[in-house]
Amino acid sequence: MSEQSDQKPPQPIVSLPVLPSSDKLEQLRRELASSPPTQQKKLNETTLVDRVVDQTKTPKQKAIEEKVIEKLKSIYDPEIPVNIYELGLIYDIDVDPETSAVYVKMTLTAPGCPVAGSLPAEVQRRIESIPEVSQAVVELVWDPPWTKDRMSQAALLELGLL
């Protein structure tokens, strides 16, 4: 079998609309100023070292997960100028060790988010563009609800909230 037949055909690039200012960033600033952070476990706070030494995953799973994270870091929330991984919208990434299918649980900043219909599909499309991924399944969840406490330190710094 040729090397070329193993590659997936290129996917068309679909741009998500950038929405006009919705004051979401100002709302986050007010919330951060008025409440102490909670100690929730955040996927975006795990380091590369944490993921590499995780003995529950095979090297293949770890390699695919790193590629998935890189793809997720290239997708930005249209209301808050931070990628969806650092923003804390990704709750879980699971790579099937047998099939290399990727399962992602994600949320949005609010149930009424204007990209609720398009963002999960964009996440799925980007993950499926990774050659080693056989399939991507993106589940949109609302529990637990997203809060500002899910944002990584990098996101807070990027937004000037630290």
Side-chain angles (χ1 to χ4, degrees):
M1 196 181 275
S2 74
E3 211 175 295
Q4 205 170 14
S5 65
D6 292 341
Q7 294 181 352
K8 296 178 183 176
Q11 299 289 325
I13 295 176
V14 179
S15 297
L16 294 175
V18 175
L19 302 174
S21 175
S22 65
D23 296 322
K24 189 73 170 179
L25 188 53
E26 288 307 314
Q27 176 188 352
L28 286 172
R29 283 191 176 112
R30 287 190 301 274
E31 288 176 9
L32 278 169
S34 67
S35 66
T38 62
Q39 295 301 317
Q40 293 177 328
K41 180 183 178 221
K42 299 184 279 187
L43 180 64
N44 60 10
E45 291 293 324
T46 61
T47 66
L48 177 59
V49 173
D50 294 333
R51 293 188 299 270
V52 167
V53 298
D54 182 352
Q55 297 198 5
T56 65
K57 296 178 182 172
T58 67
K60 181 179 174 183
Q61 286 175 293
K62 293 174 191 179
I64 291 172
E65 184 175 337
E66 290 308 311
K67 290 180 180 186
V68 168
I69 290 170
E70 286 308 307
K71 288 290 183 181
L72 294 172
K73 287 181 176 181
S74 72
I75 304 170
Y76 284 76
D77 183 281
E79 294 183 299
I80 304 170
V82 173
N83 71 68
I84 63 172
Y85 185 78
E86 298 296 345
L87 194 54
L89 298 182
I90 306 300
Y91 286 178
D92 189 37
I93 301 169
D94 186 36
V95 180
D96 186 290
E98 302 296 319
T99 66
S100 297
V102 175
Y103 302 92
V104 172
K105 283 188 181 179
M106 68 173 290
T107 194
L108 301 172
T109 55
C113 183
V115 293
S118 60
L119 192 58
E122 177 69 7
V123 168
Q124 179 178 350
R125 186 186 70 72
R126 297 268 185 111
I127 294 170
E128 287 179 340
S129 74
I130 300 168
E132 297 87 349
V133 173
S134 64
Q135 172 189 15
V137 176
V138 178
E139 180 184 358
L140 188 59
V141 298
W142 301 108
D143 188 32
W146 180 86
T147 67
K148 65 192 177 321
D149 299 324
R150 292 205 167 265
M151 292 170 49
S152 69
Q153 295 291 316
L156 293 169
L157 188 61
E158 189 173 334
L159 294 171
L161 300 174
L162 276 183

